[in-house]
Amino acid sequence: MHWSGLFETILSHPQITGRLENIILYSKNGQNSTTVIQQWPQKSSPATNRKVDQFEFPITETPAGQIILSASGPVNPDILRLVCLEWIGQQLRDELQHTENRFRRVMEEISTIHDINRMLSSGQEMEPFLKRILEHACHLLGAESGSVMLLTEDKTELEFRVVLGPKATEVSPYRLALGKGISGWVAANNKPILIPHAYQDERFDPSFDQRSGYRTESILCVPLAHNEQVLGVITILNRLDRQAFTEYDQQMIMTFAAQAAMALENSRLVREVLEKERIDQELKIAAEIQQRILPQSIPGHPLWEISTTYVPCKVVSGDYFNVYQRSENQTVLVIADVSGKGVPGAMLVSNMEAALVAFLRSNQSFADIAAALNDHIRLRSAADQYITFFIAEYNHLTHQLYFVNAGHNCPLLVHEDGSYQELSTGDIFIGFVPWVYHEGQVDIAATDLLLLYTDGLIEAMNAEEEEFGVERVIEILRAGRNKPIAGIRQTILDKVNQFADMTSFEDDLTMILFKRKQEEGL
């Protein structure tokens, strides 16, 4: 609470007569200990005048507090007490209303994300899809205008594709050179921008305002980017309450932009591959889409090393993996396996990846993310489709790994003494039934070696139909634990090939090997 408001109310209240000398607000730290929260005058000395009243009341900073007032003239303590309690009551009502409004907005945002995901899964035409995203954004932000601009084929200009607002018809045919104006700057730099006063920013181009008579006040502009490639921008103008946009507004629009960019990229790929022969090229089409989903490179870090393998048994695999840098000190590892291969499996992986990217932008726990992803896939897949899924986050400061295993092969954590752990905490695979998931936690020592894998590794069979199995994998990890991580990965592949006597795998095989780098001086 802003307690200065209480002092102002007391000092200006018409029913409080007399001359107040001191108003002091205390918090109680114990039976005989108090702390002054605020006092008036700010540099007043301890009260020497008559104490008018002293009483306890609840405050937000501590369990209870006291207000002590002193005066040199007659002051009615009952009126004073009533004024104080009425003021506190009003503050609590205001805070409750603020919380209720905040909750209502969060629920609207969640509903909007689900709506966008449904449209993304339905294969809707791109223009209506982008318009719907923009309508949601303008509604949630209470904005006057908004637009989606996409790069032209030669990537030298931005052109308006969807426009909402009072000057929409005048904007539609307009193009903007890359790097010019706010939108051009965002597209050229692949960075969002939030400007409270447009005409005070030298990057703002007022030429459209001058031609149309529109007045741009505040601007929120974010890039539409997929795999660091800018496809366009979303721009939101002028809140209806004439307040500036906030950082929270920016984060919300960036979530929408990530989903729109994913839809644009998939749409672009589909348009390209549909020019080929439909039947003969179907698997190649799906493979190209999937390759865009899988990481083209793994983010590096001075404190850990990763080596990955992805070997599809068909042109299109049902396996999925990725490595995300969630923050400077948080690295996320994901591996998954879809039931069924070919085009249906690739499409389900694409759907899952789009939802996962959106959920990772939130501050939800991995248990909540797994539950949300489960509901998302369950409502958008056939009855016989499901996904085994493992997600983990490594914290570079605490060296702890937080994870959820949704029915996937248990990752192996091999220790220096040869012992190992199977990371199994989590529950059922996703996409089958509603489920409440659980999160596990484990410490990663400097000498530990972690392997995430799909079932193509341990289910590879020899001529006697004997599986390669987990124990053989563990022995390879024990023997090679101190070798370079890329060499360990290659040894596993060589041993599997020798065991099964084959040049290609009967099932998709994906691996992620992870270990901490030895720190200097250790």
Side-chain angles (χ1 to χ4, degrees), residues 6 37 66 163 216 256 263 270 296 299 362 495:
L6 173 59
I37 296 176
Q66 290 183 335
V163 184
T216 302
F256 292 174
V270 170
Q296 304 301 306
S362 70
K495 292 290 186 182

Side-chain angles (χ1 to χ4, degrees), residues 246-307:
T246 66
E247 293 290 340
Y248 183 86
D249 296 334
Q250 177 176 302
Q251 289 299 317
M252 183 181 67
I253 298 303
M254 288 180 68
T255 299
F256 292 174
Q259 294 175 299
M262 179 68 67
L264 285 168
E265 180 66 9
N266 286 347
S267 175
R268 185 186 68 81
L269 291 174
V270 170
R271 288 197 306 272
E272 287 180 359
V273 297
L274 285 179
E275 296 175 1
K276 303 176 182 179
E277 298 178 48
R278 292 182 61 86
I279 303 300
D280 294 339
Q281 299 298 325
E282 184 187 41
L283 291 179
K284 291 182 181 180
I285 291 170
E288 189 175 357
I289 293 175
Q290 187 180 43
Q291 286 297 327
R292 294 301 181 98
I293 296 170
L294 294 173
Q296 304 301 306
S297 61
I298 301 299
H301 199 282
L303 299 180
W304 53 254
E305 53 183 329
I306 288 179
S307 184

Side-chain angles (χ1 to χ4, degrees), residues 225-428:
H226 179 77
N227 285 344
E228 300 302 319
Q229 296 297 314
V230 175
L231 308 176
V233 297
I234 294 179
T235 304
I236 309 295
L237 303 178
N238 297 359
R239 279 177 44 160
L240 293 173
D241 61 7
R242 298 309 174 199
Q243 298 297 311
F245 293 110
T246 66
E247 293 290 340
Y248 183 86
D249 296 334
Q250 177 176 302
Q251 289 299 317
M252 183 181 67
I253 298 303
M254 288 180 68
T255 299
F256 292 174
Q259 294 175 299
M262 179 68 67
L264 285 168
E265 180 66 9
N266 286 347
S267 175
R268 185 186 68 81
L269 291 174
V270 170
R271 288 197 306 272
E272 287 180 359
V273 297
L274 285 179
E275 296 175 1
K276 303 176 182 179
E277 298 178 48
R278 292 182 61 86
I279 303 300
D280 294 339
Q281 299 298 325
E282 184 187 41
L283 291 179
K284 291 182 181 180
I285 291 170
E288 189 175 357
I289 293 175
Q290 187 180 43
Q291 286 297 327
R292 294 301 181 98
I293 296 170
L294 294 173
Q296 304 301 306
S297 61
I298 301 299
H301 199 282
L303 299 180
W304 53 254
E305 53 183 329
I306 288 179
S307 184
T308 64
T309 291
Y310 168 69
V311 184
C313 69
K314 298 181 180 180
V315 176
V316 179
S317 164
D319 284 4
Y320 170 80
F321 78 98
N322 216 326
V323 179
Y324 298 94
Q325 202 62 40
R326 202 175 190 187
S327 72
E328 182 180 357
N329 298 309
Q330 295 170 296
T331 301
V332 175
L333 310 176
V334 179
I335 193 166
D337 190 359
V338 178
S339 63
K341 310 302 178 187
V343 175
M347 294 300 99
L348 192 59
V349 168
S350 175
N351 197 323
M352 180 199 73
E353 202 262 356
L356 179 60
V357 168
F359 292 142
L360 283 175
R361 291 179 181 274
S362 70
N363 292 321
Q364 297 180 89
S365 68
F366 280 165
D368 290 337
I369 288 177
L373 202 58
N374 176 55
D375 290 338
H376 178 85
I377 297 300
R378 182 174 56 85
L379 297 174
R380 293 163 179 81
S381 60
D384 59 346
Q385 284 189 302
Y386 60 87
I387 303 175
T388 66
F389 175 81
F390 180 89
I391 185 169
E393 179 181 274
Y394 174 67
N395 188 301
H396 309 301
L397 298 179
T398 64
H399 304 304
Q400 291 178 322
L401 189 80
Y402 303 91
F403 65 91
V404 170
N405 189 336
H408 195 76
N409 301 96
C410 295
L412 302 170
L413 181 62
V414 178
H415 304 298
E416 184 176 20
D417 61 3
S419 63
Y420 70 93
Q421 292 175 255
E422 292 184 319
L423 307 186
S424 59
T425 304
D427 291 300
I428 195 171

Side-chain angles (χ1 to χ4, degrees), residues 199-212:
Y199 281 83
Q200 296 179 15
D201 194 293
E202 61 183 12
R203 292 164 295 190
F204 176 64
D205 177 10
S207 59
F208 175 77
D209 281 14
Q210 293 166 359
R211 289 198 309 271
S212 65

